[in-house]
Amino acid sequence: MKQSEFDVVVVGGGHAGCDAAHAAARAGARTALVTLKMEGIGVMSCNPAIGGLGKGHLVREIDALDGVMGRVADLAGIQFRLLNRRKGPAVQGPRAQADRAVYRAEMLREMTSCPGLQVLTGEVTDFIMQGDRVVGIVLADGSEVHARAVVLTTGTFLRGLIHIGDVSYSGGRMGDNAANKLGERMESFGLPLGRLKTGTPPRLNGKTINWDVLEDQPGDDEPVLFSFLSKGVNLRQVACGITHTNTRTHEIIRENLDRSAMYGGHIDGVGPRYCPSIEDKVVRFADKESHQVFLEPEGLGDDTVYPNGISTSLPEDVQHDYVRSMKGLEQVEILQPGYAIEYDYVDPRALDMRLSLRDVPGLYLAGQINGTTGYEEAAAQGLVAGLNAAKEALGEDPVIFSRTDSYIGVMIDDLTTRGVSEPYRMFTSRAEYRLSLRADNADQRLTPKGIEVGLVGDSRRAAFEAKMARIGAGRAILDNTTVTPKQLNTAGIRVGEDGKQRTLYQVLAFPETSVVDLVGLAPDLGDLDPETQEQLRRDALYATYIQRQQNDAQALQKDEARGIPQNFDYEHLDGLSNELKSKLLRIRPSNLAQAGRIEGMTPAALALILSRINRAQKEKSA
Amino acid sequence: MDTIFALASAPGRAGVSVIRISGPGAFPALTRFGLTAPAPRAAALRLLRDGDEVLDQALLLAFAGPASFTGEDAVELHLHGSPAIVASTLRILGEVDGLRMAEPGEFTRRALENSKMDLAQVEGLADLIDSETEAQRRQAQRVFSGKLGEVVQGWRKDLIRAAALLEAVIDFADEEVPVDVRPEVTELLDRVSVSLEAQAKGAEVAERVRQGFEVAILGAPNAGKSTLLNFLAGREAAITSNVAGTTRDVIEVRMDLRGLPVTLLDTAGLRETEDEVEAIGIARARERAELSDLRIYLLEPGEISPRIELRPEDIVLRGKADESGDSAGISGVTGQGVDALIARLSTYFSDRTSLVATATRERHRLAILRALGDLSQAREMLANPVYTEDLIAEELRSAIRALDSLVGIVDVENLLDEIFSSFCIGK
Ligand SMILES: Cc1cc2nc3c(=O)[nH]c(=O)nc-3n(C[C@H](O)[C@H](O)[C@H](O)COP(=O)(O)OP(=O)(O)OC[C@H]3O[C@@H](n4cnc5c(N)ncnc54)[C@H](O)[C@@H]3O)c2cc1C
């Protein structure tokens, strides 16, 4: 039996797995990425697109920490759009249509060229245990890989069940086997498991689409990329087509509802409300006569088209009929039918903020296995789990993200304290500090942290420091130049004669004011490059709000810093209501801030918990 | 760190009411009353002012952190107990930037964080939590029952809808959602604001509902006021004598009037006088009566019309009916007409209680005021296209957060529920 030694083993080469393995290796751990097959690395199971609202923020944060998703998406992008361009920068989200094949190839290159990272193939069927601790994995061929920490990122594969109409069979996704042995192994840990489901539309042959009669949706003229290091697009850019469902389409669907896996009662798992199947849309919004469908090319060298908006679990013949009822698709050929998939997930409340299972030391979980959906959510968790697995393996301090510093922190806090009731997806509205957690300042927020914990390489570090120096210089000019209303009006910036002196930074916060407008008042500003000017404007725009939130954020950070031991004895804490006790026991908050968010919590109850922690610490140090 | 304040002694008409302020803004907050902090740990007697108006003569204690009960800079104001004064003081403090009313247990929590609490004292917290929970439960029941419950649910619904609309155009910009939600959001926020404003006004009365109504008994000297008061109170609370001008200043008697807490004020008799001291007493009586919820004017035998300008709700009665033999009069000696008076008072106040039916605490009023400020900001921004949805949403979030204690916590899940049930989202 072959044996090998690693600090960290990551299981699964999907989006969570890739960023997990890369992060672990960057953090200095000898890392192995074990996945079913090489061609499976970086596969996008569903939609060939990265980013979007909230999700684009996550990709930027991953990039700020030197992760791979943003870089790879930039190389594979065939259409870039910045969503919410006309709304404030805080809610703008970069999104890209990706060439699937290029995405996979570039991701594979990242994995195979990363120092300290080795890719192995095989099906993981079991864990090697030492007491209740996971110390490695066992492959289907019986070989063992030992490690100090294991990160599991098996996506939809744990006891995956594919449904097309009334046909269902075991599978991890179309064309892949499910991981049933591992699923059973997970169950044996006594973890809280649940079932979720998701679906995907049929894939179409682009050569059989009548593009001439369809509207198209082009990308932005000036593409906004994901990575702070990318300079420009890599591939030829293309447009997507747009078609619509119509009353005929809806009729076909309605007539066949009982043949849909979902409506026929074959599926128990809960699906995401923001990704309803076309059956769902037709039933729930019965008075709507038409829905938009985006026809997204899956790559430059590939004729496959992804029809975004019609995911389904109807039988193949019905899919065929309803797709052909749409304009431009009259003759279309289906390359792969749409389907729904049901899979096991682990209630993420069983995890701590490192994404490590509380009751199974040495085992970390990331990605869809934790009840989320989406590549970006998966990759961001991968980064956190991989990093912390490395830290544990190397005997270093954990790295925790906070709701006040990142969307990553928001997501992990949401997952570990609230769990999920449907597949979890990021939205900007989940971030209470949305105005400070912007996609444009992800590097300012996180790269210093990344440098500190050893996650950021030299070239990014140098680029970041140079950028901050430019911003710092611009900021100094803005802060040190004070102007009167009269000066402003002379410079063409309309302001009431209120006699108030303002710094140029304050002036920059006026809506629709740019650095260029201020050059007359401080000529040195003209020397700043346009990107620095723009970043200064974005920072200034929200300055007052951010200041307002600072009190809140500081109080929260203070509470986040006060850890609650996992074995904290709530049972014997007099003065807590039974209801509160049982909630605390179930959620086992990692820190005081999480405890404070539990419904029904009062400051007095928090004080009580705090006093116990203090006492325990005193006794320890005494 | 926020600066927090709260009434530390039991609410109501205690002899002295203590308001505590703790945090970096505690000392600066005193300037709002025209004061500076006295030397630490030395009590000082000072006039508390609201602008030009004197609120009260208060005992002022300042503690510089960390040598204070919370470990922060702290101030104690010992007031003269009148609920009206306490309410005004709390209201003013709530208007100071950076100050907010403490959550229950928050002082304790701060004390504990700054190691100002002996760990042995912790056991005491258990009781505190129990009683707080009970008090909160009762409070919540009171607030959310009946008419007010409906009003509050209405706010909640409108606020969720407004926030969901804004979030929908932000988070689902690439989906089939309406492009311009501003008109509907504006309409919703206008409606909530109008209702909140009405409550903010009403809430002041509601505060008094909780702490009791004041009824002033006015009339010429020796019109029989004190005798009547004594009869009503069933005990010798006011000194009565036949020498005009015996009741100087104001005497208060608290009583339970068919379930409603009512305080009767016996005032100095109204008449022209050369006596300076008595003149002050009369002035005070008029002032106090002016602030009371209801006035009873007793006409002395032979007097034709009251010596004050009547308000529509004033009750005018003929006093000393035992002497005059007036069958329509009232007497504190025989008790004639007293039952009718009590019936009249209790009807009047019950009517008013159900009329206001509003938030019962200053906390709620402050919350409402804060929310109103944020909402007016949001409404202004809605009307001006240069302000983007993210900023408007921020103001709205802030308003909703301020109203937490009234409408309940509004969570992102509530907004998503509203969004997914209204719009067909999903590619
Ligand atoms: C049908 C379908 C529809 C979807 N629809 C949407 C959608 O509409 N919107 C959306 O945001 N997201 C959707 N997704 C989800 C998106 O694909 C996932 O969220 C994302 O890929 C999860 O990333 P992951 O890294 O957790 O898992 P995956 O990307 O699934 O990767 C799992 C990896 O683990 C490997 N693996 C599994 N088991 C083993 C084992 N035992 N041993 C070794 N390797 C193993 C696999 O080979 C694979 O490489 C859909 C997914 C599917 C399958």
Side-chain angles (χ1 to χ4, degrees):
Chain A
M1 221 168 280
K2 196 176 80 199
Q3 287 220 4
S4 22
E5 281 293 340
F6 289 93
D7 291 320
V8 173
V9 164
V10 176
V11 181
H15 306 278
C18 289
D19 257 298
H22 206 272
R26 290 204 305 284
R30 289 167 305 148
T31 307
L33 175 61
V34 186
T35 192
L36 289 174
K37 43 190 184 194
M38 277 295 183
E39 315 85 81
I41 286 183
V43 165
M44 298 195 238
S45 316
C46 194
N47 168 354
I50 300 286
L53 295 162
K55 291 166 169 273
H57 286 73
L58 285 172
V59 181
R60 279 283 174 85
E61 292 181 356
I62 294 167
D63 184 67
L65 294 162
D66 226 357
V68 288
M69 177 170 261
R71 287 203 295 265
V72 170
D74 283 344
L75 288 173
I78 52 176
Q79 185 196 79
F80 289 87
R81 284 197 306 132
L82 182 65
L83 302 181
N84 276 341
R85 204 175 256 279
R86 263 186 300 236
K87 298 188 185 104
V91 295
Q92 290 172 359
R95 177 184 194 274
Q97 210 58 52
D99 180 309
R100 256 181 215 289
V102 177
Y103 193 92
R104 268 192 348 207
E106 292 297 337
M107 188 56 88
L108 181 61
R109 201 159 59 151
E110 285 282 358
M111 294 304 115
T112 49
S113 64
C114 175
L117 174 56
Q118 196 176 329
V119 182
L120 309 173
T121 53
E123 184 193 346
V124 174
T125 52
D126 204 354
F127 298 107
I128 309 170
M129 304 298 296
Q130 198 171 79
D132 59 0
R133 190 174 182 88
V134 170
V135 292
I137 50 144
V138 182
L139 291 170
D141 66 3
S143 59
E144 296 187 345
V145 183
H146 285 257
R148 290 170 207 273
V150 172
V151 183
L152 198 62
T153 70
T154 47
T156 48
F157 284 61
L158 287 189
R159 289 195 285 203
L161 195 59
I162 288 175
H163 300 266
I164 304 178
D166 51 9
V167 183
S168 53
Y169 55 90
S170 164
R173 69 183 161 216
M174 196 60 90
D176 280 312
N177 290 332
N180 290 329
K181 286 225 180 74
L182 199 56
E184 281 156 30
R185 187 68 184 87
M186 289 298 284
E187 186 159 48
S188 75
F189 284 130
L191 295 168
L193 299 178
R195 291 291 269 178
L196 291 172
K197 74 134 211 262
T198 186
T200 195
R203 304 301 195 275
L204 310 177
N205 181 348
K207 280 200 209 134
T208 60
I209 294 175
N210 182 6
W211 295 98
D212 294 342
V213 300
L214 298 175
E215 287 170 64
D216 56 319
Q217 183 187 48
D220 290 345
D221 294 334
E222 286 174 49
V224 172
L225 305 188
F226 290 108
S227 175
F228 289 100
L229 298 184
S230 294
K231 295 280 174 267
V233 302
N234 181 41
L235 300 177
R236 179 165 60 85
Q237 301 294 293
V238 302
C240 297
I242 300 176
T243 184
H244 296 88
T245 63
N246 51 49
T247 44
R248 177 76 197 117
T249 322
H250 296 191
E251 230 172 79
I252 299 171
I253 292 167
R254 225 172 267 130
E255 279 164 13
N256 289 286
L257 268 184
D258 56 337
R259 300 180 61 202
S260 152
M262 222 170 38
Y263 282 86
H266 303 291
I267 298 187
D268 308 318
V270 184
R273 283 176 299 176
Y274 38 84
C275 261
S277 62
I278 188 67
E279 296 95 292
D280 247 346
K281 291 190 192 181
V282 169
V283 171
R284 290 191 42 234
F285 293 88
D287 48 350
K288 228 177 146 183
E289 290 183 353
S290 167
H291 298 278
Q292 252 181 359
V293 180
F294 292 86
L295 299 173
E296 304 174 345
E298 296 215 337
L300 296 179
D302 183 350
D303 288 316
T304 312
V305 166
Y306 178 97
N308 199 342
I310 51 168
S311 95
T312 186
S313 63
L314 283 162
E316 279 189 69
D317 60 309
V318 183
Q319 294 188 27
H320 180 266
D321 290 351
Y322 86 67
V323 169
R324 287 196 169 199
S325 71
M326 283 183 265
K327 188 171 162 192
L329 305 183
E330 294 86 355
Q331 302 299 322
V332 85
E333 183 196 335
I334 290 182
L335 297 175
Q336 178 198 297
Y339 63 95
I341 182 162
E342 258 188 303
Y343 52 94
D344 280 358
Y345 78 101
V346 177
D347 181 342
R349 285 173 295 190
L351 300 163
D352 64 20
M353 300 281 285
R354 303 172 302 159
L355 297 182
S356 170
L357 277 169
R358 282 193 283 233
D359 295 334
V360 188
L363 188 55
Y364 292 71
L365 306 181
Q368 193 129 357
I369 191 174
N370 289 338
T372 63
T373 64
Y375 313 134
E376 305 79 0
E377 288 82 352
Q381 291 171 66
L383 186 143
V384 173
L387 170 62
N388 278 295
K391 292 290 173 192
E392 181 177 357
L394 301 174
E396 295 170 12
D397 287 341
V399 183
I400 302 299
F401 292 84
S402 154
R403 299 187 78 89
T404 63
D405 68 23
S406 57
Y407 277 68
I408 298 179
V410 169
M411 173 171 64
I412 297 206
D413 187 64
D414 281 348
L415 291 174
T416 56
T417 59
R418 309 172 58 155
V420 298
S421 52
E422 67 183 322
Y424 179 96
R425 189 199 131 165
M426 187 43 78
F427 298 111
T428 72
S429 45
R430 295 196 194 274
E432 54 274 57
Y433 302 109
R434 176 162 69 187
L435 298 185
S436 25
L437 306 185
R438 306 191 304 275
D440 66 71
N441 69 2
D443 55 344
Q444 298 181 43
R445 291 184 278 121
L446 295 176
T447 303
K449 182 171 183 150
I451 293 172
E452 191 190 312
V453 303
L455 208 50
V456 169
D458 292 338
S459 60
R460 180 178 300 266
R461 180 184 184 146
F464 174 71
E465 283 167 357
K467 174 179 173 178
M468 290 315 288
R470 290 194 297 273
I471 291 178
R475 181 70 196 262
I477 303 172
L478 292 167
D479 280 339
N480 297 333
T481 316
T482 329
V483 291
T484 61
K486 196 153 165 222
Q487 283 174 296
L488 283 173
N489 283 315
T490 317
I493 297 165
R494 290 219 328 269
V495 53
E497 293 280 351
D498 53 6
K500 243 198 231 156
Q501 295 258 342
R502 292 180 174 85
T503 67
L504 287 186
Y505 193 65
Q506 287 169 323
V507 174
L508 200 52
F510 294 178
E512 298 185 321
T513 307
S514 68
V515 173
V516 176
D517 302 328
L518 306 179
V519 172
L521 295 161
D524 287 350
L525 289 174
D527 299 340
L528 300 173
D529 61 288
E531 182 43 41
T532 304
Q533 292 184 343
E534 189 52 22
Q535 191 53 39
L536 285 164
R537 188 190 69 86
R538 289 189 285 242
D539 287 339
L541 190 60
Y542 297 108
T544 45
Y545 287 89
I546 290 166
Q547 206 137 28
R548 235 207 251 173
Q549 292 184 339
Q550 225 146 39
N551 262 347
D552 270 14
Q554 275 164 6
L556 187 65
Q557 280 160 351
K558 214 165 114 199
D559 282 356
E560 279 174 340
R562 261 192 271 263
I564 304 177
Q566 285 309 307
N567 54 0
F568 190 86
D569 184 10
Y570 296 104
E571 208 79 73
H572 297 100
L573 199 57
D574 289 337
L576 289 184
S577 69
N578 282 334
E579 193 189 333
L580 213 46
K581 267 186 201 170
S582 68
K583 277 186 193 162
L584 284 160
L585 279 167
R586 197 181 60 232
I587 296 169
R588 285 193 282 177
S590 302
N591 57 51
L592 215 57
Q594 291 188 342
R597 277 193 294 276
I598 293 172
E599 206 193 320
M601 197 49 124
T602 66
L606 282 177
L608 199 57
I609 295 171
L610 182 62
S611 74
R612 270 302 158 90
I613 302 172
N614 287 352
R615 173 147 67 189
Q617 271 165 0
K618 259 195 197 144
E619 281 164 5
K620 235 204 229 148
S621 58
Chain B
M1 185 54 102
D2 289 354
T3 298
I4 52 174
F5 64 92
L7 185 62
S9 49
R13 278 164 219 271
V16 180
S17 300
V18 179
I19 291 176
R20 282 181 169 173
I21 314 169
S22 173
F27 293 175
L30 292 174
T31 53
R32 183 62 182 72
F33 298 105
L35 296 173
T36 50
R41 310 198 142 261
L45 201 59
R46 297 283 160 81
L47 287 182
L48 219 58
R49 288 172 201 277
D50 177 16
D52 295 335
E53 188 191 330
V54 173
L55 281 172
D56 196 10
Q57 192 173 46
L59 197 65
L60 206 60
L61 288 154
F63 306 85
S68 73
F69 47 91
T70 52
E72 306 173 320
D73 284 352
V75 168
E76 275 187 17
L77 297 171
H78 295 235
L79 305 173
H80 276 114
S82 142
I85 292 170
V86 171
S88 307
T89 311
L90 290 175
R91 176 176 51 73
I92 292 167
L93 286 171
E95 287 162 8
V96 177
D97 241 14
L99 260 64
R100 64 174 173 80
M101 213 180 229
E103 299 292 324
E106 219 177 347
F107 282 101
T108 317
R109 162 115 199 247
R110 290 195 178 185
L112 197 67
E113 290 194 353
N114 297 323
S115 313
K116 283 285 151 184
M117 253 192 130
D118 183 348
L119 289 182
Q121 285 171 275
V122 160
E123 308 314 322
L125 271 176
D127 294 338
L128 174 68
I129 292 168
D130 280 349
S131 60
E132 249 171 32
T133 319
E134 180 56 19
Q136 278 179 353
R137 194 185 59 76
R138 275 202 310 263
Q139 182 65 24
Q141 269 180 352
R142 189 155 48 207
V143 171
F144 298 119
S145 64
K147 262 243 173 64
L148 183 60
E150 276 166 40
V151 174
V152 168
Q153 281 311 313
W155 298 341
R156 182 179 167 90
K157 222 173 122 237
D158 286 352
L159 289 170
I160 287 180
R161 173 79 187 165
L165 286 169
L166 287 173
E167 297 298 345
V169 295
I170 290 174
D171 267 335
F172 301 98
D174 52 341
E175 305 265 0
E176 292 173 86
V177 295
V179 181
D180 186 11
V181 295
R182 291 191 186 216
E184 189 182 344
V185 174
T186 305
E187 198 179 301
L188 288 162
L189 297 191
D190 286 350
R191 183 159 81 202
V192 175
S193 297
V194 167
S195 176
L196 282 171
E197 262 157 32
Q199 285 302 323
K201 289 197 195 105
E204 232 160 319
V205 191
E207 177 64 16
R208 309 188 72 162
V209 173
R210 201 173 63 85
Q211 293 181 331
F213 289 97
E214 284 188 340
V215 180
I217 307 178
L218 296 170
N222 286 327
K225 302 187 296 288
S226 299
T227 325
L228 174 64
L229 176 78
N230 285 347
F231 190 93
L232 282 168
R235 63 186 170 100
E236 294 265 309
I239 319 141
T240 53
S241 83
N242 287 322
V243 186
T246 329
T247 312
R248 291 199 178 139
D249 277 351
V250 183
I251 286 169
E252 302 184 6
V253 173
R254 254 199 122 159
M255 54 186 282
D256 181 0
L257 204 116
R258 297 193 178 159
L260 286 172
V262 169
T263 301
L264 294 172
L265 306 175
D266 186 13
T267 57
L270 305 176
R271 62 162 186 171
E272 303 300 330
T273 176
E274 302 293 322
D275 184 337
E276 232 182 85
V277 181
E278 196 187 345
I280 294 173
I282 291 171
R284 277 211 185 203
R286 281 185 198 267
E287 228 174 76
R288 192 66 193 272
E290 208 53 52
L291 290 173
S292 65
D293 299 289
L294 187 64
R295 304 185 299 185
I296 299 171
Y297 192 93
L298 287 190
L299 294 166
E300 63 177 339
E303 191 179 7
I304 294 160
S305 67
R307 302 175 192 195
I308 55 166
E309 222 182 291
L310 285 180
R311 300 194 295 216
E313 72 274 24
D314 286 349
I315 297 174
V316 181
L317 296 168
R318 305 199 159 278
K320 294 196 169 166
D322 50 302
E323 281 178 32
S324 65
D326 185 347
S327 62
I330 191 164
S331 164
V333 176
T334 61
Q336 177 190 327
V338 168
D339 278 351
L341 174 63
I342 289 178
R344 215 169 140 181
L345 287 176
S346 77
T347 322
Y348 177 73
F349 287 124
S350 336
D351 280 349
R352 268 190 83 178
T353 332
S354 61
L355 256 185
V356 284
T358 44
T360 51
R361 295 172 64 179
E362 178 68 10
R363 178 189 302 285
H364 290 156
R365 205 184 61 89
L366 286 176
I368 289 172
L369 288 183
R370 235 163 240 197
L372 273 170
D374 294 335
L375 287 178
S376 92
Q377 192 78 27
R379 287 154 70 205
E380 239 169 71
M381 293 165 105
L382 278 163
N384 186 345
V386 308
Y387 293 107
T388 45
E389 279 78 1
D390 52 344
L391 296 176
I392 302 170
E394 196 60 34
E395 298 292 349
L396 183 53
R397 274 192 203 201
S398 172
I400 293 176
R401 275 242 315 263
L403 290 175
D404 261 3
S405 58
L406 281 158
V407 302
I409 289 176
V410 172
D411 184 74
V412 59
E413 294 302 328
N414 302 116
L415 305 187
L416 292 176
D417 286 346
E418 175 70 26
I419 291 173
F420 295 135
S421 62
S422 318
F423 306 115
C424 184
I425 301 276
K427 286 182 172 176

